[in-house]
Amino acid sequence: MEMTSGLAAAKRRVIHNAAISRFSALGFAGTSMADIADEAAMSRPALYQYFRNKGDIFVSAFVHLFEDQVERALLVLNEPGPVAEQLNGFLQRYEGDLWQRMATTMHSDEILSAKNADIVAAIDSVVMQLWDGMATYLARVAVGRSRAVVARRAAWIELLKFSPKGFKFDQPSVEVYRRRLSALAQSVAADIAAS
């Protein structure tokens, strides 16, 4: 039973990767179940054993993408090194890698607008884990329970959470966006060191 479950999970990962590849190349509207099946090297009927329809695959694939990015970002916070490097790695794995993925497809606007209530709720839940992990990290590197320390940690989370949205305002290149993320990491790390 466990092996079957593991095989099913592995097959779903293959389908997720195939779906993201096809949605990125063709857009949501231009991608068919047959396209995803071809990319996953399986038959269309086999695809239906794992997912009900294209929308179901879309939700599952992009939630999985966010879960993976969140996991990678949080792992960086546990690597040895200075706070600035850890914060930069966190921002690069989560924000930078997602921006790079979206910037390399001409269908990013369509993909982002194809979100429905199911995907928004699922991604919000995953992103909440990201910021809970960051709160835990900040409590570890900026120890204290005073109101001032707690308020500073909340302010750093706001900066890390919302600044990257503004960094995208002018649709920068991936390189420029990543450089902005690094500057943010350096700024927050300097403020942590000064506190």
Side-chain angles (χ1 to χ4, degrees):
M1 174 90 165
E2 213 169 293
M3 186 172 177
T4 304
S5 174
L7 290 173
K11 186 55 93 171
R12 288 176 70 87
R13 277 192 300 279
V14 167
I15 295 167
H16 287 153
N17 291 335
I20 289 170
S21 174
R22 293 292 81 204
F23 288 133
S24 295
L26 305 172
F28 181 79
T31 300
S32 68
M33 291 291 277
D35 294 326
I36 296 168
D38 288 345
E39 184 78 15
M42 61 191 309
S43 69
R44 221 175 95 198
L47 192 59
Y48 283 103
Q49 292 177 9
Y50 299 93
F51 297 98
R52 293 184 314 264
N53 54 43
K54 179 173 76 169
D56 188 29
I57 293 173
F58 181 82
V59 169
S60 183
F62 279 93
V63 168
H64 174 74
L65 174 67
F66 272 79
E67 288 171 342
D68 184 51
Q69 293 304 129
V70 164
E71 182 180 332
R72 291 174 65 219
L74 291 175
L75 283 174
V76 171
L77 296 177
N78 292 315
E79 291 179 0
V83 170
E85 279 181 25
Q86 293 168 331
L87 290 175
N88 187 46
F90 170 87
L91 289 169
Q92 297 299 336
R93 294 300 64 79
Y94 182 67
E95 294 286 351
D97 291 354
L98 286 172
W99 181 252
Q100 183 168 347
R101 184 177 288 273
M102 296 313 294
T104 57
T105 176
M106 58 189 218
H107 298 285
S108 61
D109 289 340
E110 179 192 359
I111 290 169
L112 293 173
S113 67
K115 291 189 220 176
N116 62 30
D118 291 337
I119 197 169
V120 170
I123 288 174
D124 284 350
S125 173
V126 172
V127 171
M128 213 150 91
Q129 294 171 18
L130 177 82
W131 296 112
D132 287 347
M134 177 52 72
T136 300
Y137 169 79
L138 289 173
R140 193 172 72 231
V141 298
V143 179
R145 293 180 185 221
S146 72
R147 276 190 192 185
V149 172
V150 170
R152 291 291 288 259
R153 288 195 302 250
W156 295 325
I157 287 176
E158 281 188 358
L159 278 173
L160 294 167
K161 186 187 288 189
F162 297 114
S163 296
K165 291 175 185 3
F167 294 165
K168 296 176 196 170
F169 181 76
D170 61 346
Q171 299 290 308
S173 68
V174 171
E175 179 183 325
V176 168
Y177 185 65
R178 286 188 183 278
R179 194 169 50 245
R180 291 172 181 174
L181 293 173
S182 293
L184 173 61
Q186 291 289 332
S187 297
V188 172
D191 199 35
I192 290 170
S195 65

